Amino acid sequence: MLFARLVAGLIAVSASCALAVEPFIAPAVPNGSLPVQLVPTEVVTPGSNRLVTFGVPFPRGSLSVAGLETLRVLKGGQEIPAHVSQMTPWRHRGNAALDGASVRVARIQIQYAFASTSPESITLSWGGTPRQQNVASLVSARNGWHTVTSGSFVSSDNVQEPDVYAVLPKAWLSQGALKGVRSQAFDDSNTEARDNPTTNSGISHWPEYREADRAIKNNFYSSINEDDASVTVGNQCHYKTEYEPWLYDRAASMFVLYERSGFYKALREAVRASEFYTDHVNSSGYFEFKNGDTKYVYAENLAYRYWLTGDDTALDRLSAIVSAQGGFNDAWSPGTGFWTERHAAFKLLAYQVDYELNGGSQANNVATLVGRLISHQNGANGQIPQPSGYVDGGLYHLGSQHDGDWANGSYGASGWMSVLVVDAMLRAYSTSEDPAIANFIRRMGNFLRAATINTTDHMYNFGGALALPRYAMLSNGANGQMGSSDVEHALDVAAGLAWANYFAELTQQSDPRLADTAEDLYFTYDEGVNYWIRPGGPGAGLPAYRTSPWRKFGWEHRVSGGLGWAMNAATASADEVFASGFD
């Protein structure tokens, strides 16, 4: 048995079995085993001991701190010495019985000698025999790190990485203990290597949501300048010198790829990118390439690096980042100056990640930010007018507050920026299960649905109308700002609608239009993927898998990893819900 069955906790679907919706929180796994692949980097020589430190996430309720004494590391069926401790507990803002009661991420540290330079496997087991070969003391994970000298970074970049990476199974990672939302793991045919662009260009549509899975992988290679050796320097991604590729958290987007694929390459590049990003966050918490701009200030990738590598120094800039985000005034009113959904989302996300890691008074700050967003959606105590045709669900604000992207005196909201708020609120829901957040996301779906139109005014090579999410819509449903390039946000807006549909079903307020619009937008995205594949590009020094602008990798994929799961979970039969589990 590879994994213990995920059965404990399925009862949390609802008190009522009438709901055919999978639970948001993955079921607990109180006992089981897990294969872990150890991958040596170029600095490792066979036969010599290397310090290996890594984190393992667990679904909520799986293990208490006391239960960690049963977590054993096995090689060939024999236990090997290991240090095991809790890194982060599962926190909960609304239920004291759940708050801190179980381990979210456990840290494991071992000494390991490879027989060759090839990857080798160990096994983790828990819930049974107590650990016999316990190592009491933890040493710095950095004792097993080195300076990167080749590939995406060179020695002068001063980027560090582990000597040995621990790679976890995609089916385990996709249970959502890291991201906070569950996702669909890649199908087994989607292997780690970059796909042949000529082959992919000839495939119009992949089954289910696999077009997006292929695209995040192939565009990942373009983003790290490994699309094709013929791509000239001028057409590569200049992530070492320019700020634009980092928007929407480049490193966190790579971690999302890893969490759904289990690919070693994705994990390694995510760690490297997070290292580089953190090294360029100044003492005030701002990214040095875009100093003073909080839309480039991210905590999410730091948490993933900490949790997956066990390295405490990953959080060195966390407090500065949270402090920098605190400078943005998220408390909207008509008199507030500059305000966008994007800035409000990244502030909430930073506070929420800090709460997940450190708890304490940050719980109250998260609750305050969530409350402000809900009040804003409710009309801000009557401060937002409701004209004829008013569309419920948007975070309406004046065009003058949004850099004049629509008429200064008109109330509007941005479709794709609102998805960033959904992403942050999903994370807040994962540690609160607050019905008010569920309702917020459901109502946001109503806004996103209304903001989506069918039009032939799009940039793709498609002979008919496609669903297009308008950049900005006024509160009465009229255009705020739209253009043919808005189709480029079809995937992220589809993800927002998928989660709105999930919560509509969960709260028994079904609205089939939400799922229908999500599917329409996904079809738009599906068409767009092939539009951006250029098999002959490398012959002219251009990438075959085009990613333009480079920040698109982040805006499309960081928030959309749960799309497939949310869509399928909302339409699962009761039998499917109660039969789900691992073998």
Side-chain angles (χ1 to χ4, degrees):
M1 183 174 66
L2 180 61
F3 298 114
R5 287 189 177 277
L6 295 176
V7 292
L10 282 175
I11 197 169
V13 172
S14 170
S16 166
C17 296
L19 284 179
V21 179
E22 288 197 51
F24 186 88
I25 301 294
V29 186
N31 57 78
S33 62
L34 191 71
V36 177
Q37 185 183 60
L38 300 182
V39 183
T41 61
E42 297 82 0
V43 302
V44 175
T45 54
S48 62
N49 271 337
R50 291 284 175 168
L51 182 70
V52 182
T53 311
F54 59 98
V56 179
F58 286 90
R60 193 178 72 192
S62 297
L63 281 174
S64 65
V65 172
L68 285 177
E69 70 176 11
T70 68
L71 204 163
R72 304 162 66 216
V73 182
L74 308 173
K75 177 65 178 178
Q78 300 298 311
E79 184 178 338
I80 62 176
H83 170 86
V84 178
S85 58
Q86 175 176 257
M87 294 179 71
T88 304
W90 274 101
R91 305 187 193 278
H92 203 284
R93 291 190 293 111
N95 188 333
L98 293 174
D99 188 33
S102 62
V103 176
R104 181 171 182 174
V105 184
R107 176 159 36 200
I108 297 171
Q109 188 173 80
I110 60 175
Q111 293 283 344
Y112 193 87
F114 287 85
S116 69
T117 57
S118 299
E120 298 182 9
S121 291
I122 57 174
T123 300
L124 307 181
S125 73
W126 64 93
T129 304
R131 188 170 55 259
Q132 299 300 308
Q133 299 201 52
N134 185 59
V135 176
S137 300
L138 175 74
V139 301
S140 172
R142 287 278 169 153
N143 290 353
W145 286 49
H146 64 273
T147 301
V148 176
T149 60
S150 63
S152 50
F153 295 96
V154 296
S155 56
S156 60
D157 297 319
N158 197 34
V159 169
Q160 311 292 310
E161 70 173 345
D163 298 344
V164 178
Y165 281 90
V167 180
L168 306 178
K170 60 188 176 184
W172 186 257
L173 291 165
S174 63
Q175 291 305 298
L178 295 175
K179 175 71 175 169
V181 298
R182 300 168 72 178
S183 61
Q184 280 189 322
F186 282 11
D187 71 285
D188 290 341
S189 71
N190 192 356
T191 57
E192 188 161 359
R194 170 183 173 272
D195 292 333
N196 184 313
T198 300
T199 300
N200 279 26
S201 182
I203 301 173
S204 296
H205 302 285
W206 295 81
E208 294 186 322
Y209 305 101
R210 295 181 186 178
E211 185 89 60
D213 299 349
R214 295 283 174 160
I216 183 177
K217 178 187 73 173
N218 293 317
N219 291 342
F220 158 75
Y221 282 103
S222 296
S223 295
I224 61 172
N225 297 324
E226 293 186 14
D227 174 80
D228 190 283
S230 299
V231 177
T232 57
V233 171
N235 293 314
Q236 292 179 350
C237 181
H238 298 288
Y239 54 84
K240 296 183 187 180
T241 56
E242 297 178 1
Y243 59 81
E244 185 268 336
W246 296 92
L247 188 55
Y248 305 108
D249 202 340
R250 170 186 173 89
S253 304
M254 294 179 184
F255 279 116
V256 168
L257 170 59
Y258 168 64
E259 291 163 22
R260 299 191 57 223
S261 68
F263 293 158
Y264 159 65
K265 181 76 169 179
L267 173 60
R268 187 178 195 182
E269 293 301 332
V271 169
R272 288 178 168 194
S274 180
E275 265 279 298
F276 182 86
Y277 174 78
T278 308
D279 286 348
H280 290 83
V281 171
N282 61 31
S283 60
S284 297
Y286 291 102
F287 186 44
E288 292 173 347
F289 290 6
K290 193 65 170 170
N291 194 18
D293 192 341
T294 59
K295 69 176 180 286
Y296 286 86
V297 175
Y298 315 122
E300 188 177 6
N301 73 85
L302 276 63
Y304 296 147
R305 177 157 55 96
Y306 170 65
W307 284 331
L308 290 167
T309 68
D311 174 33
D312 292 328
T313 68
L315 304 182
D316 282 352
R317 288 293 190 217
L318 177 63
S319 61
I321 283 171
V322 174
S323 178
Q325 283 291 0
F328 172 69
N329 181 12
D330 64 291
W332 181 86
S333 76
T336 303
F338 177 78
W339 193 95
T340 74
E341 297 95 335
R342 176 165 55 191
H343 286 76
F346 285 141
K347 179 174 181 177
L348 172 58
L349 189 59
Y351 278 45
Q352 170 64 25
V353 168
D354 189 31
Y355 165 67
E356 292 174 24
L357 291 164
N358 297 310
S361 62
Q362 199 65 278
N364 294 328
N365 294 331
V366 169
T368 296
L369 268 60
V370 166
R372 287 172 180 168
L373 289 168
I374 291 172
S375 174
H376 190 163
Q377 187 183 56
N378 288 339
N381 297 316
Q383 296 180 92
I384 298 175
Q386 295 193 10
S388 175
Y390 180 81
V391 178
D392 180 65
L395 299 175
Y396 297 115
H397 50 292
L398 294 165
S400 58
Q401 297 172 316
H402 202 109
D403 282 340
D405 285 343
W406 55 89
N408 285 345
S410 296
Y411 283 86
S414 171
W416 56 261
M417 281 196 187
S418 294
V419 176
L420 301 173
V421 176
V422 171
D423 176 72
M425 289 289 259
L426 282 167
R427 190 143 201 151
Y429 183 84
S430 72
T431 57
S432 67
E433 296 162 283
D434 182 352
I437 295 178
N439 196 48
F440 176 95
I441 294 172
R442 180 193 64 80
R443 289 172 61 196
M444 183 63 79
N446 184 64
F447 164 75
L448 296 174
R449 180 190 60 77
T452 300
I453 61 171
N454 291 317
T455 179
T456 57
D457 184 16
H458 56 74
M459 60 187 286
Y460 296 156
N461 298 326
F462 182 77
L466 289 172
L468 176 146
R470 290 177 285 177
Y471 168 67
M473 184 185 78
L474 302 185
S475 61
N476 64 359
N479 287 341
Q481 183 185 126
M482 67 162 287
S484 62
S485 63
D486 287 344
V487 290
E488 292 287 84
H489 285 279
L491 180 64
D492 40 314
V493 176
L497 278 156
W499 283 111
N501 179 65
Y502 172 83
F503 283 111
E505 296 297 326
L506 186 71
T507 59
Q508 302 184 62
Q509 299 179 79
S510 180
D511 183 351
R513 297 174 299 174
L514 297 173
D516 289 346
T517 307
E519 292 287 5
D520 289 345
L521 284 168
Y522 186 81
F523 181 83
T524 295
Y525 170 76
D526 197 327
E527 286 293 325
V529 170
N530 284 39
Y531 174 85
W532 287 101
I533 300 175
R534 177 176 48 197
L542 302 167
Y545 289 105
R546 298 181 288 170
T547 306
S548 179
W550 292 111
R551 64 184 181 273
K552 185 169 76 169
F553 178 75
W555 90 48
E556 286 190 326
H557 298 297
R558 187 185 63 80
V559 301
S560 64
L563 185 154
W565 186 89
M567 291 295 286
N568 290 328
T571 57
S573 68
D575 288 342
E576 289 173 324
V577 170
F578 283 94
S580 55
F582 281 121
D583 285 318

